[in-house]
Every structure is written in C-alpha cells, then in structure tokens.
Amino acid sequence: MDHLKQLENEAIDLIRDICFFNDCSKIVVLYSMGKDSSVLLHLFKKAFYPFSIPVKFLHIDTGWKFKEMYQFRDKISQDINLLIYKHPEKLNPFTDGSRYTDIMKTEALKQALNLYNIKIAFGGARRDEEKCRSKERMVSIRDSYQKWNPRTQNPEIPPLYNTFYSNDTGLRIFPLSNWTEVDIWEYIRQENISVVSLYFAKPRYVKHLQNGQYIATENQSGELKTVRFRTLGCYPLTGAILSEAQTTDEIIQELKETRYTERITRLIDYDTDASMEKKKRNGYF
C-alpha cells in the first residue's frame, strides 16, 4: 500500500531528525500500551535498525489499567528501556471525578518530565481522534510549565519542521498525526505488530450506562456481551463497543463502516465542555 509507505517514511524521517539533532538523554517516547503506541514503537525499531533505540520510553501508570495491558507491558518492557512513573497520590476514578485525570495523568506526566529532565516527548496522538487534536502540529511547542497554546505554534510545512526550542520551552512530537484509525490497523496487519487482546471482540462482562457506553466490570458481574475496545485507558473510564470483529481484517472492515471516532468511548473526553482542549492546555498529552 503506497499510502502506508508514505506515512511510514514521513514518521521515520521525523523520528530520525529529532533524535539526530538533539540530546537523546532528554527525549522520551510516551508508551500507553495502546495500538498507536505499538505502531510508534515499531517505527522507532525500524528507524534505527540494526542498532538499538537510543531513547527511553515512559509509561504514566495510574494503577487502573486493564490487567491485559499490564501483562502486555511486562512482555514489551523486556525489549525497550521503559521508565514507569506513578503520581504519589492514589486517587480513585470512581469517586474523584475529573480531578483523577488532572492529577493521575496530567500532573503525573508533568512531574515525570521534570524528574527525568525531559525536553522532548514523542506521542502517538493522531489528528483524526478528536477535534482538539486536529489543531496540533507534528512538532508542538510547550512552555516551561508543559502547557500548550494553539495560538503560539510555529507554521508547519511538511517535511520542513522547526525543531528549535529554548531553555524555557519543550517539544511534543506526533509522528502519527496524519494517520487514521484505519491506517493504524492496516499497518498493524501489514507489519504483523502485536497489540493488546482487548482490541478483539469476545464475550466480556460489562455494565450498560445511560449514554450507551459499556464499561467492563470485575468479578463477572453485569451483563455478558460480545464487545471489544477501540481505544484503551483506565478501565473505569474506557467504554467498549458491541462488536463481532475477532481479527484484524474484521476490525478494518468494521471501521470502514462506522461514523464515529474511537474517542467517543473515552469518558474523560466529555466530563466538561471542550474537555480535551482544556486538558491539553494544562499539559495533558
């Protein structure tokens, strides 16, 4: 597929450009165990093959991920230099509302970047995920407090990227910006990339919420439905969809027929008006 090769080349060129002209000890790749993180890891391997990846990976661990995600992380961590950071507070997504995301994700990320003296962070966000992310540049500037202002970003004319940053700023890099969800899955199929089993449909115990979401439950409580997850996060805040797609081919076909972005199942995106943009302005990825 020519378009996948073009997307791959664009991402690898940006990865190499950033790592070649900057101190790799001040660079991390955010790793969430999701499908985009798996593709980004694969691109880093291809970018530096046959040598090892020269930068570290960072996982912000809330302690509330699916057990399948932790099992997948343990397996992948054998092949990469993975840093794991947890916020010292232990908040509960069931009881602490939006403060949970602000502290356990946004503040934890900012703390980790300061702790490890990180100036450049790669992420797997894509423009088609959510309308706020469509405003992002592939090379995005953050201020000294890790905050984002969409009005103060550099003009961007690919493949010409301004990777300059001052002592008071840093960069967030998004090599997958121009990919779609279908592109991600077609690339996973083409490259035979391993992903968390939660993406594939099977009978799971869930609770049906009033807004049409299905949330996974523990201890085999709730209804038994055949569902899968289009996006992965903390299990109390990540909705599943009814689906029969048990293979990569079936997922691709399902996505070509859907009208909704995967972020519709992420409850944290809708806890307030313009929620994602407010979170990003405060330092969320």
Side-chain angles (χ1 to χ4, degrees):
M1 287 187 173
D2 290 341
H3 75 283
L4 290 183
K5 191 62 179 178
Q6 291 173 1
L7 290 170
E8 179 189 70
N9 289 341
E10 178 183 61
I12 288 177
D13 285 347
L14 180 57
I15 289 169
R16 288 173 174 166
D17 193 41
I18 294 294
C19 293
F20 182 81
F21 289 105
N22 293 280
D23 181 355
C24 285
S25 68
K26 296 184 178 182
I27 301 174
V28 293
V29 183
L30 290 198
Y31 183 71
S32 67
M33 293 97 80
K35 62 184 183 303
D36 301 306
S37 285
S38 295
V39 167
L40 192 56
L41 170 57
H42 185 79
L43 290 169
F44 265 85
K45 288 179 178 179
K46 294 191 79 168
F48 298 104
Y49 181 84
F51 304 103
S52 60
I53 299 173
V55 299
K56 297 180 176 66
F57 287 69
L58 172 64
H59 176 225
I60 303 301
D61 187 4
T62 62
W64 288 90
K65 303 298 183 184
F66 293 90
K67 65 179 184 299
E68 292 90 342
M69 296 175 69
Y70 287 121
Q71 293 166 355
F72 189 81
R73 185 189 71 183
D74 292 343
K75 178 182 178 181
I76 294 297
S77 63
Q78 299 174 17
D79 299 325
I80 60 176
N81 190 346
L82 180 64
L83 304 171
I84 299 174
Y85 184 83
K86 293 184 179 181
H87 195 280
E89 286 193 62
K90 295 182 179 180
L91 301 185
N92 188 321
F94 291 104
T95 58
D96 291 307
S98 61
R99 185 169 179 267
Y100 168 83
T101 301
D102 294 340
I103 299 299
M104 301 300 288
K105 294 190 174 185
T106 303
E107 291 303 318
L109 173 60
K110 292 159 70 172
Q111 288 178 4
L113 295 179
N114 289 330
L115 174 65
Y116 298 116
N117 192 27
I118 300 301
K119 298 294 287 184
I120 300 175
F122 282 87
R126 310 185 323 270
R127 292 190 178 114
D128 78 323
E129 290 181 85
E130 198 271 342
K131 58 185 178 182
C132 171
R133 285 181 166 164
S134 67
K135 299 179 181 179
E136 276 281 17
R137 305 290 197 269
M138 293 181 77
V139 177
S140 184
I141 299 172
R142 294 298 193 274
D143 67 16
S144 58
Y145 300 100
Q146 302 292 341
K147 293 187 176 183
W148 173 67
N149 185 346
R151 297 179 180 273
T152 59
Q153 301 299 307
N154 291 326
E156 193 165 271
I157 308 174
L160 303 176
Y161 301 104
N162 185 347
T163 61
F164 172 80
Y165 63 91
S166 67
N167 291 332
D168 296 327
T169 60
L171 301 177
R172 306 278 179 94
I173 311 298
F174 302 100
L176 304 181
S177 289
N178 293 330
W179 298 52
T180 67
E181 188 180 4
V182 172
D183 292 331
I184 291 293
W185 280 106
E186 289 181 338
Y187 191 73
I188 287 170
R189 177 178 61 184
Q190 174 182 288
E191 301 291 308
N192 195 28
I193 299 171
S194 296
V195 294
V196 181
S197 61
L198 293 163
Y199 285 116
F200 301 98
K202 78 171 190 178
R204 295 181 170 95
Y205 284 94
V206 295
K207 179 173 65 173
H208 188 201
L209 303 184
Q210 290 182 347
N211 62 0
Q213 302 280 12
Y214 289 90
I215 300 297
T217 62
E218 295 182 305
N219 303 321
Q220 297 187 342
S221 61
E223 304 175 83
L224 187 61
K225 297 281 188 180
T226 301
V227 300
R228 74 177 192 88
F229 295 86
R230 289 178 65 186
T231 179
L232 297 179
C234 299
Y235 77 83
L237 302 173
T238 304
I241 62 168
L242 297 175
S243 174
E244 298 292 334
Q246 299 180 22
T247 67
T248 303
D249 285 338
E250 290 173 348
I251 288 175
I252 292 169
Q253 184 59 40
E254 180 183 84
L255 293 176
K256 288 181 177 180
E257 297 172 359
T258 189
R259 298 172 55 194
Y260 303 103
T261 173
E262 71 244 57
R263 295 293 300 195
I264 197 171
T265 61
R266 293 294 288 273
L267 303 188
I268 63 170
D269 289 7
Y270 306 100
D271 50 12
T272 62
D273 291 338
S275 180
M276 176 56 77
E277 179 154 346
K278 292 176 182 176
K279 289 180 174 65
K280 284 177 65 63
R281 285 178 179 269
N282 289 328
Y284 187 68
F285 218 82

mmCIF file of all heavy atoms in Angstrom, residues 166-183:
data_model
loop_
_atom_site.group_PDB
_atom_site.id
_atom_site.type_symbol
_atom_site.label_atom_id
_atom_site.label_comp_id
_atom_site.label_asym_id
_atom_site.label_seq_id
_atom_site.Cartn_x
_atom_site.Cartn_y
_atom_site.Cartn_z
ATOM 1 N N SER A 166 13.729 26.733 23.138
ATOM 2 C CA SER A 166 14.579 27.488 24.052
ATOM 3 C C SER A 166 14.662 26.772 25.386
ATOM 4 O O SER A 166 14.026 25.738 25.614
ATOM 5 C CB SER A 166 14.005 28.893 24.243
ATOM 6 O OG SER A 166 12.759 28.822 24.931
ATOM 7 N N ASN A 167 15.430 27.349 26.301
ATOM 8 C CA ASN A 167 15.541 26.764 27.647
ATOM 9 C C ASN A 167 14.219 26.776 28.390
ATOM 10 O O ASN A 167 14.015 25.993 29.319
ATOM 11 C CB ASN A 167 16.601 27.520 28.458
ATOM 12 C CG ASN A 167 18.002 27.295 27.935
ATOM 13 O OD1 ASN A 167 18.296 26.253 27.343
ATOM 14 N ND2 ASN A 167 18.881 28.268 28.135
ATOM 15 N N ASP A 168 13.321 27.676 27.993
ATOM 16 C CA ASP A 168 12.037 27.816 28.684
ATOM 17 C C ASP A 168 10.903 27.052 28.014
ATOM 18 O O ASP A 168 9.757 27.160 28.438
ATOM 19 C CB ASP A 168 11.653 29.300 28.776
ATOM 20 C CG ASP A 168 12.639 30.098 29.620
ATOM 21 O OD1 ASP A 168 13.177 29.520 30.586
ATOM 22 O OD2 ASP A 168 12.865 31.264 29.302
ATOM 23 N N THR A 169 11.229 26.317 26.958
ATOM 24 C CA THR A 169 10.184 25.574 26.261
ATOM 25 C C THR A 169 10.630 24.129 26.032
ATOM 26 O O THR A 169 11.779 23.763 26.280
ATOM 27 C CB THR A 169 9.850 26.209 24.898
ATOM 28 O OG1 THR A 169 11.033 26.216 24.085
ATOM 29 C CG2 THR A 169 9.335 27.624 25.068
ATOM 30 N N GLY A 170 9.708 23.316 25.563
ATOM 31 C CA GLY A 170 9.998 21.941 25.178
ATOM 32 C C GLY A 170 9.118 21.572 24.004
ATOM 33 O O GLY A 170 8.313 22.381 23.530
ATOM 34 N N LEU A 171 9.266 20.354 23.545
ATOM 35 C CA LEU A 171 8.528 19.918 22.364
ATOM 36 C C LEU A 171 7.755 18.636 22.643
ATOM 37 O O LEU A 171 8.214 17.772 23.393
ATOM 38 C CB LEU A 171 9.475 19.676 21.182
ATOM 39 C CG LEU A 171 10.325 20.851 20.694
ATOM 40 C CD1 LEU A 171 11.244 20.391 19.560
ATOM 41 C CD2 LEU A 171 9.452 22.008 20.234
ATOM 42 N N ARG A 172 6.588 18.525 22.044
ATOM 43 C CA ARG A 172 5.860 17.262 21.943
ATOM 44 C C ARG A 172 5.834 16.908 20.457
ATOM 45 O O ARG A 172 5.473 17.749 19.622
ATOM 46 C CB ARG A 172 4.437 17.398 22.487
ATOM 47 C CG ARG A 172 4.348 17.949 23.918
ATOM 48 C CD ARG A 172 4.570 16.880 24.957
ATOM 49 N NE ARG A 172 4.513 17.438 26.310
ATOM 50 C CZ ARG A 172 3.424 17.462 27.071
ATOM 51 N NH1 ARG A 172 2.277 16.992 26.587
ATOM 52 N NH2 ARG A 172 3.468 17.944 28.295
ATOM 53 N N ILE A 173 6.193 15.693 20.127
ATOM 54 C CA ILE A 173 6.329 15.270 18.729
ATOM 55 C C ILE A 173 5.297 14.182 18.433
ATOM 56 O O ILE A 173 5.194 13.196 19.165
ATOM 57 C CB ILE A 173 7.746 14.719 18.448
ATOM 58 C CG1 ILE A 173 8.818 15.695 18.975
ATOM 59 C CG2 ILE A 173 7.922 14.474 16.957
ATOM 60 C CD1 ILE A 173 8.805 17.056 18.332
ATOM 61 N N PHE A 174 4.553 14.355 17.329
ATOM 62 C CA PHE A 174 3.477 13.435 16.985
ATOM 63 C C PHE A 174 3.681 12.872 15.568
ATOM 64 O O PHE A 174 3.069 13.348 14.611
ATOM 65 C CB PHE A 174 2.129 14.152 17.075
ATOM 66 C CG PHE A 174 1.855 14.729 18.438
ATOM 67 C CD1 PHE A 174 2.059 16.085 18.689
ATOM 68 C CD2 PHE A 174 1.407 13.924 19.468
ATOM 69 C CE1 PHE A 174 1.812 16.615 19.944
ATOM 70 C CE2 PHE A 174 1.152 14.448 20.729
ATOM 71 C CZ PHE A 174 1.359 15.799 20.972
ATOM 72 N N PRO A 175 4.497 11.832 15.422
ATOM 73 C CA PRO A 175 4.772 11.285 14.083
ATOM 74 C C PRO A 175 3.566 10.645 13.406
ATOM 75 O O PRO A 175 3.572 10.466 12.189
ATOM 76 C CB PRO A 175 5.857 10.220 14.357
ATOM 77 C CG PRO A 175 6.454 10.607 15.670
ATOM 78 C CD PRO A 175 5.328 11.199 16.456
ATOM 79 N N LEU A 176 2.536 10.288 14.189
ATOM 80 C CA LEU A 176 1.358 9.632 13.616
ATOM 81 C C LEU A 176 0.224 10.616 13.331
ATOM 82 O O LEU A 176 -0.911 10.191 13.070
ATOM 83 C CB LEU A 176 0.841 8.545 14.572
ATOM 84 C CG LEU A 176 1.831 7.456 14.987
ATOM 85 C CD1 LEU A 176 1.158 6.451 15.907
ATOM 86 C CD2 LEU A 176 2.435 6.757 13.788
ATOM 87 N N SER A 177 0.497 11.895 13.353
ATOM 88 C CA SER A 177 -0.547 12.912 13.208
ATOM 89 C C SER A 177 -1.426 12.690 11.985
ATOM 90 O O SER A 177 -2.645 12.866 12.047
ATOM 91 C CB SER A 177 0.078 14.309 13.135
ATOM 92 O OG SER A 177 0.599 14.696 14.382
ATOM 93 N N ASN A 178 -0.833 12.318 10.866
ATOM 94 C CA ASN A 178 -1.572 12.224 9.611
ATOM 95 C C ASN A 178 -2.167 10.839 9.362
ATOM 96 O O ASN A 178 -2.761 10.605 8.307
ATOM 97 C CB ASN A 178 -0.665 12.617 8.442
ATOM 98 C CG ASN A 178 -0.279 14.082 8.493
ATOM 99 O OD1 ASN A 178 -1.034 14.921 8.987
ATOM 100 N ND2 ASN A 178 0.912 14.408 8.012
ATOM 101 N N TRP A 179 -2.015 9.925 10.323
ATOM 102 C CA TRP A 179 -2.574 8.587 10.187
ATOM 103 C C TRP A 179 -4.039 8.609 10.644
ATOM 104 O O TRP A 179 -4.444 9.404 11.484
ATOM 105 C CB TRP A 179 -1.811 7.586 11.045
ATOM 106 C CG TRP A 179 -0.355 7.406 10.693
ATOM 107 C CD1 TRP A 179 0.579 8.386 10.549
ATOM 108 C CD2 TRP A 179 0.321 6.169 10.472
ATOM 109 N NE1 TRP A 179 1.807 7.837 10.257
ATOM 110 C CE2 TRP A 179 1.678 6.478 10.209
ATOM 111 C CE3 TRP A 179 -0.080 4.837 10.491
ATOM 112 C CZ2 TRP A 179 2.624 5.485 9.949
ATOM 113 C CZ3 TRP A 179 0.866 3.851 10.240
ATOM 114 C CH2 TRP A 179 2.201 4.175 9.966
ATOM 115 N N THR A 180 -4.826 7.705 10.095
ATOM 116 C CA THR A 180 -6.181 7.492 10.577
ATOM 117 C C THR A 180 -6.234 6.177 11.346
ATOM 118 O O THR A 180 -5.277 5.381 11.325
ATOM 119 C CB THR A 180 -7.187 7.437 9.413
ATOM 120 O OG1 THR A 180 -6.909 6.255 8.642
ATOM 121 C CG2 THR A 180 -7.078 8.670 8.529
ATOM 122 N N GLU A 181 -7.360 5.930 11.993
ATOM 123 C CA GLU A 181 -7.516 4.672 12.724
ATOM 124 C C GLU A 181 -7.417 3.482 11.775
ATOM 125 O O GLU A 181 -6.816 2.448 12.115
ATOM 126 C CB GLU A 181 -8.848 4.662 13.463
ATOM 127 C CG GLU A 181 -9.024 3.486 14.397
ATOM 128 C CD GLU A 181 -10.363 3.511 15.111
ATOM 129 O OE1 GLU A 181 -11.189 4.393 14.824
ATOM 130 O OE2 GLU A 181 -10.587 2.618 15.959
ATOM 131 N N VAL A 182 -7.979 3.617 10.568
ATOM 132 C CA VAL A 182 -7.879 2.538 9.578
ATOM 133 C C VAL A 182 -6.425 2.341 9.153
ATOM 134 O O VAL A 182 -5.947 1.207 9.015
ATOM 135 C CB VAL A 182 -8.774 2.830 8.359
ATOM 136 C CG1 VAL A 182 -8.522 1.816 7.242
ATOM 137 C CG2 VAL A 182 -10.241 2.791 8.760
ATOM 138 N N ASP A 183 -5.694 3.452 8.947
ATOM 139 C CA ASP A 183 -4.270 3.350 8.603
ATOM 140 C C ASP A 183 -3.510 2.554 9.669
ATOM 141 O O ASP A 183 -2.665 1.709 9.340
ATOM 142 C CB ASP A 183 -3.633 4.733 8.477
ATOM 143 C CG ASP A 183 -4.146 5.527 7.295
ATOM 144 O OD1 ASP A 183 -4.548 4.908 6.292
ATOM 145 O OD2 ASP A 183 -4.162 6.776 7.381
#
